[in-house]
Amino acid sequence: MLKEVQLPIVGMTCAACATRIEKGLNKITGVEEANVNLALEKATVKFDSEATNVDQVIHKIQDLGYDVLMEQEEAAISHREKELEKQKGKFIFSLILSFPLLWAMVSHFEFTSFIYLPDLFMNPWFQFSLATPVQFIIGKQFYVGAFKALKNGSANMDVLVSLGTSAAYFYSLYLSIDAAFGSGGNMPDLYFETSAVLITLIILGKLFEARAKGRSSEAIKKLMGLQARTANVLRDGNEQEIPLEEVMVGDIIYVKPGEKIPVDGEIIEGRSALDESMITGESVPVDKTVGDPVIGATINKNGFLKMKATKVGKDTALAQIIKVVEEAQGSKAPIQRLADKISAIFVPIVVGIAVATFLIWFIWVDPGNFAEALEKMIAVLVIACPCALGLATPTSIMAGSGRAAEFGVLFKGGEHLEMTHRINTVVLDKTGTVTNGKPQLTDIFVENDFSEVEFLQLVGSAEKQSEHPLAEAIVSKITENGIDLVDVAEFEAIPGYGIRAIVNNHEILVGTRKLMKKYDIEFETAAEKMVTLEESGKTAMLVAIDGKMAGIVAVADTVKETSKAAIKKLKDMGLEVIMMTGDNGLTANAIAKEVGVNAVIAEVLPEGKAAEVKKLQALGKRVAMVGDGINDAPALAIADIGMAIGTGTDVAMEAADITLMRGDLNSIADAIYMSKKTIQNIKQNLFWAFGYNTLGIPIAAIGLLAPWLAGAAMAFSSVSVVLNALRLQRVKLDQ
C-alpha cells in the first residue's frame, strides 16, 4: 500500500544537503519517490508500507547526519523560531568579537589611515583570543556539518566554509607562534579577521535567509488562520461552545451574524449572505438558504443560521485546500532538475578550483608568497557556496503557489505550475463551466393522445431516477407545478443517449435522436420543432412512450455572466478556445456563438472526451481541459493540464492538476498568468545563481576579491534570491 509522509528536517545548509538526503532516501527499498525541499526544510516521501516504514526513513535521514522533527506543524514552527533566536544570539556574540578585528583590518587601507587604531588591536594574541571563540564556538555548526557530510562521502557548504576559515585561522596561528618563538620577530600579516568576519557574515546571511524563507510560507499560515477556533453546538438539548476539534459529523451548529462557519455543512434553518472570498476569491457575498451547502471558514454576514456538520477536521474544504497548497509548495518543478544535478557535483569542483588557484598563485603568479596564494584560495572557497542555487526554484514555487491560492487558484504540484504557462489550447466543458450548470425546463411539446399532465407525470417519474443535471431541472419544474410522481418499475441510464424506464406499465424513453434510432422510433414529426429549440440554445429531448413519439421537453442553461469576457481574454492571450459537450451541434453552436467560441466539439459521449483531447494532442497542441472534475475526470487526467472549476470538493481536487475555486472562467487566465510570473521569477533566480558563481569564482581566483568581501557576496546571493521570490507575493491580477 502506497503511503506519503512529510518530515521536517533540521540541519540542511545548502542544495548539496538536500540532494544528498534525496539520493539516500531514494535508495531505500520500498521508497517510490523522495523530494527534499530546501526552502521548506521538508522531505516528502512516498513509500510502499509493506516494504518499508516511516521509522526506516527517519533512521536513514539521521544516518546522513540530520535530525527529523516529529512534532505537529505548530510545534515545528516554534522549533524554527527558537533556532532563529539562537542564531541571532550567535550573530550578536560573533559581531562583538569580530568588530575589533574588522576595525584593525579597515585601518590598514590608505584611505582609512586617519582612523585611530589602538595598539592592543594589532597584538597577535589579542586577535587570537577574539578569533578562537568565533572559530570554534560560533563556527562549530560548520565543522559538525562538514564532518557529517564527509563521513557520508559527499560535500556541502559547511565543507567550503570550514576549509576557508580554518585555512585563514590556522595559518594566522602559525605566523603568531613563529613571530613569538621563532627567529622572525617581525609583526606578521595575520588573517584572524578573515576567518572571524567570514563566519559573522555567513551567520548574518543565514539569519536573513531564514527570515525571508519564513515569509515565503505565509500562504499556509494565512489559510490556517482562517479557521474558527470554536463552534456553538447543540448537545443534550443545550447550546454549548466547544473547541473546533471536538465537532463531529451530524452535529447541529448555530452560527450568528458576523461569525465564521466552523466546518463544512448544510443549512437546515435560516437564510443569510456568506462572504466566501477567503476560500473562493469571489468578493461578492453569496445568498444561502435551507438545503444549501456552506464551507468552513466563510463568514456569515447578516442572518442567523442553523446548520448540520457534514465534513470536519481533515475532510473540510479548507483542510483540503491547505493540503493542496502544502503539497504544491513541497513539490519539485522539472526546471529544478538542472540545479540539482549541478549542486550534487558543485562543491568537489569548487575545492578543486580553489586548490588550483592556490598552486597557480604560489608557483607562477607570485612565487613563494604563501599568504597571498592562501587568501585567493579562501576567497574562491567562500564565494562559491551553492545556497542560492538550491533556493532559486523552491522559494519561487512556494511564493507563487501561495499567492495563486489567495486568488482561488490551487496548483496541485510544482510540475503543473511550470507546465500551465506553456498551454496553447483550452478545451471548455459546457455545462457548469461555460454555463451555470443549473438548467430549467422551458418548453413542453406533447403529441398523440396524452394530456400534458399525464405526459409530464410519466416523464418526471422516469427522470427522477437519473442524477443528470438536466433530469433534475425537469423533475424540479414538474413537481413545482403540483404534479405527483409515481414509482418506477424499471430504470436504465444510457450514457450519451438518455434514459429508459417502465412507469405505470408504460415504456418511457427520454433522450437524443441517437436514442430514438437505437429503439427504431420514428421522430420526423418532432424533428422540425426540435431544431427550432436547439437553434435558440436550448437542449431538447425527445420523449417516446410505448414505442411511439410522444413529445419533446426542452431545458435551457444560462451562460455565466463572466464567460464571454473571460473567453475573450483567453483569445487575446493567443490561446485557441474550444467548447466540448455531449449536447447536439445546434445547441452547442448557439451557446458557443453567444460566448464567442469559434470551435465546437459536440455530441461527445463522456468516455469520448478523453479521446478528443488525445486527438488535439496528436496535432501538437498543449491542451488544458477545463471541467467539473467529476464527469470529465478521464479528459482532465489525459490533458496536459486538467482544471477543475467549481467549489473545490475533494473529488474535483483529486481529478485535476489545478482547482479553480471561484467557478469563474477568468480563473483560467489567472492560473496561466501566475504560472508565467512564477516561471519568470524562477528563471531570474537561476540566472542570478548561475551568473553569481560563474562570475564570482573567476574574480576571486584572479585576486580581485578579498575573502571577507567574498563572504558578504555569498550571503547576499542567497538573500537576494529569496527576496526576489517574495516579489510574487505582491503580484496583482491586472495583466
Side-chain angles (χ1 to χ4, degrees):
M1 183 176 159
L2 203 61
K3 288 188 175 181
E4 183 178 304
V5 64
Q6 283 194 338
L7 300 170
I9 298 176
V10 177
M12 289 193 294
T13 56
C14 69
C17 296
T19 303
R20 185 166 71 257
I21 297 171
E22 208 167 85
K23 281 185 176 178
L25 293 177
N26 280 312
K27 287 179 183 176
I28 300 174
T29 303
V31 170
E32 296 284 326
E33 183 184 4
N35 284 323
V36 177
N37 189 308
L38 176 63
L40 274 179
E41 297 179 326
K42 277 186 180 179
T44 303
V45 187
K46 291 180 183 176
F47 61 93
D48 182 353
S49 59
E50 294 178 5
T52 189
N53 54 48
V54 176
D55 288 340
Q56 284 181 279
V57 172
I58 293 171
H59 185 66
K60 182 64 177 177
I61 294 171
Q62 290 171 337
D63 275 352
L64 291 168
Y66 304 91
D67 290 324
V68 177
L69 286 175
M70 291 307 295
E71 301 108 324
Q72 296 297 317
E73 182 68 25
E74 289 184 7
I77 291 171
S78 174
H79 175 87
R80 284 195 288 271
E81 288 173 352
K82 286 177 183 175
E83 283 298 310
L84 197 62
E85 287 301 313
K86 190 186 292 184
Q87 289 290 338
K88 192 189 295 182
K90 284 184 177 181
F91 167 70
I92 293 170
F93 180 51
S94 185
L95 180 64
I96 292 169
L97 292 176
S98 301
F99 184 73
L101 298 172
L102 183 63
W103 188 339
M105 181 184 73
V106 170
S107 300
H108 277 81
F109 301 124
E110 287 185 19
F111 63 89
T112 58
S113 57
F114 63 90
I115 297 175
Y116 169 70
L117 178 64
D119 291 338
L120 177 65
F121 285 10
M122 293 303 298
N123 185 296
W125 300 111
F126 175 73
Q127 291 192 8
F128 168 77
S129 65
L130 294 175
T132 301
V134 176
Q135 187 71 34
F136 298 108
I137 297 176
I138 307 301
K140 178 185 175 184
Q141 64 192 66
F142 301 116
Y143 283 111
V144 171
F147 173 75
K148 288 177 179 178
L150 294 171
K151 187 179 77 170
N152 287 287
S154 62
N156 61 0
M157 182 203 89
D158 292 329
V159 172
L160 296 179
V161 174
S162 298
L163 280 174
T165 58
S166 295
Y169 175 85
F170 286 110
Y171 180 57
S172 299
L173 179 59
Y174 162 74
L175 291 178
S176 298
I177 293 172
D178 185 60
F181 304 107
S183 56
N186 295 322
M187 175 66 71
D189 290 329
L190 303 178
Y191 296 91
F192 283 124
E193 80 283 349
T194 298
S195 63
V197 171
L198 274 178
I199 289 172
T200 305
L201 285 172
I202 292 166
I203 294 288
L204 177 62
K206 286 289 175 189
L207 263 178
F208 283 146
E209 184 186 308
R211 285 186 177 279
K213 283 196 294 187
R215 283 172 56 201
S216 65
S217 58
E218 280 296 311
I220 297 288
K221 294 175 187 174
K222 283 181 183 176
L223 286 169
M224 287 180 167
L226 293 176
Q227 291 176 319
R229 301 297 177 200
T230 60
N232 293 313
V233 177
L234 184 66
R235 292 271 174 92
D236 302 323
N238 298 314
E239 183 182 341
Q240 300 177 19
E241 185 176 356
I242 63 172
L244 187 68
E245 297 77 23
E246 295 179 14
V247 177
M248 296 184 293
V249 172
D251 274 342
I252 304 302
I253 301 170
Y254 297 114
V255 187
K256 297 169 186 172
E259 290 184 342
K260 288 182 179 179
I261 304 293
V263 295
D264 293 2
E266 182 181 313
I267 297 174
I268 58 175
E269 189 179 309
R271 63 182 302 140
S272 182
L274 265 62
D275 179 359
E276 298 184 341
S277 59
M278 64 289 298
I279 300 293
T280 66
E282 182 57 62
S283 58
V284 179
V286 181
D287 289 329
K288 299 279 185 177
T289 188
V290 175
D292 287 338
V294 290
I295 306 170
T298 56
I299 299 172
N300 179 21
K301 298 292 285 184
N302 49 32
F304 178 82
L305 295 176
K306 189 175 177 182
M307 60 172 279
K308 185 181 198 177
T310 56
K311 290 182 180 179
V312 300
K314 293 183 178 179
D315 295 326
T316 63
L318 180 62
Q320 293 293 316
I321 291 167
I322 291 171
K323 180 185 174 187
V324 170
V325 176
E326 281 181 334
E327 287 176 353
Q329 293 192 339
S331 66
K332 188 171 288 189
I335 199 171
Q336 193 174 339
R337 290 174 191 151
L338 177 62
D340 287 347
K341 286 178 182 177
I342 292 172
S343 297
I345 59 171
F346 191 77
V347 174
I349 289 173
V350 168
V351 172
I353 293 172
V355 171
T357 299
F358 175 83
L359 293 174
I360 290 168
W361 275 86
F362 188 69
I363 297 171
W364 286 293
V365 180
D366 194 354
N369 192 336
F370 184 87
E372 190 75 8
L374 182 69
E375 187 175 287
K376 306 313 180 233
M377 183 186 79
I378 293 169
V380 171
L381 287 170
V382 173
I383 200 168
C385 171
C387 296
L389 205 56
L391 292 167
T393 302
T395 46
S396 294
I397 293 289
M398 286 168 65
S401 59
R403 184 59 170 164
E406 293 177 32
F407 297 135
V409 177
L410 303 182
F411 288 93
K412 204 170 181 180
E415 65 274 23
H416 310 308
L417 185 58
E418 179 177 339
M419 180 63 197
T420 300
H421 81 288
R422 295 179 184 164
I423 63 171
N424 53 32
T425 303
V426 177
V427 178
L428 303 172
D429 176 52
K430 180 180 76 72
T431 306
T433 303
V434 175
T435 65
N436 285 302
K438 294 181 179 178
Q440 293 184 333
L441 180 61
T442 56
D443 296 86
I444 303 160
F445 176 65
V446 184
E447 289 187 6
N448 295 329
D449 301 327
F450 290 97
S451 68
E452 185 174 300
V453 171
E454 186 180 5
F455 173 82
L456 289 176
Q457 184 182 54
L458 293 172
V459 172
S461 299
E463 290 284 12
K464 189 178 180 182
Q465 308 303 310
S466 174
E467 295 180 355
H468 197 282
L470 299 182
E472 291 178 15
I474 293 168
V475 172
S476 177
K477 186 68 175 178
I478 290 171
T479 53
E480 276 179 25
N481 290 341
I483 298 172
D484 295 326
L485 304 183
V486 296
D487 292 336
V488 175
E490 292 180 27
F491 176 82
E492 180 187 5
I494 309 169
Y497 288 79
I499 64 163
R500 175 188 170 275
I502 303 295
V503 183
N504 283 350
N505 296 318
H506 294 291
E507 182 188 50
I508 313 297
L509 297 172
V510 184
T512 63
R513 295 173 177 85
K514 289 187 291 184
L515 180 68
M516 298 301 136
K517 288 176 182 177
K518 180 181 174 74
Y519 285 89
D520 297 322
I521 307 294
E522 296 290 336
F523 58 90
E524 282 80 5
T525 55
E528 190 176 334
K529 178 70 175 174
M530 191 176 190
V531 170
T532 303
L533 291 167
E534 289 170 344
E535 285 177 341
S536 65
K538 296 174 182 177
T539 300
M541 287 162 280
L542 297 167
V543 179
I545 300 176
D546 296 330
K548 292 182 180 180
M549 177 56 48
I552 299 173
V553 287
V555 297
D557 187 5
T558 55
V559 171
K560 291 179 180 176
E561 292 180 6
T562 55
S563 290
K564 187 173 181 178
I567 288 167
K568 183 180 183 302
K569 185 186 289 184
L570 292 174
K571 290 165 77 173
D572 289 344
M573 292 170 73
L575 299 166
E576 181 183 1
V577 182
I578 299 170
M579 191 177 80
M580 183 159 60
T581 177
D583 270 355
N584 66 79
L586 287 171
T587 304
N589 282 312
I591 297 292
K593 186 178 179 181
E594 185 179 346
V595 296
V597 173
N598 300 323
V600 176
I601 304 173
E603 299 183 40
V604 184
L605 299 176
E607 60 270 22
K609 289 185 177 181
E612 293 295 337
V613 170
K614 278 186 180 178
K615 286 179 188 176
L616 293 169
Q617 290 172 323
L619 296 173
K621 300 179 189 294
R622 290 189 291 271
V623 181
M625 174 69 198
V626 187
D628 63 14
I630 302 171
N631 297 333
D632 304 307
L636 288 168
I638 204 83
D640 296 285
I641 289 293
M643 297 186 184
I645 193 161
T647 55
T649 61
D650 49 0
V651 177
M653 289 184 187
E654 286 300 319
D657 304 316
I658 301 171
T659 299
L660 308 176
M661 297 293 293
R662 290 209 309 265
D664 177 351
L665 293 190
N666 281 305
S667 296
I668 303 169
D670 296 346
I672 295 168
Y673 181 69
M674 283 306 304
S675 169
K676 191 177 294 184
K677 295 296 287 185
T678 303
I679 296 305
Q680 283 177 356
N681 193 274
I682 289 172
K683 287 178 178 176
Q684 289 166 2
N685 281 348
L686 288 174
F687 177 80
W688 166 250
F690 283 123
Y692 160 81
N693 285 303
T694 304
L695 292 173
I697 292 173
I699 289 171
I702 62 177
L704 297 180
L705 207 59
W708 70 274
L709 281 173
M714 184 268 281
F716 174 71
S717 70
S718 298
V719 175
S720 64
V721 161
V722 177
L723 291 177
N724 185 53
L726 290 178
R727 292 192 307 116
L728 288 168
Q729 293 183 335
R730 299 192 298 275
V731 167
K732 290 182 170 38
L733 296 178
D734 54 357
Q735 70 273 27

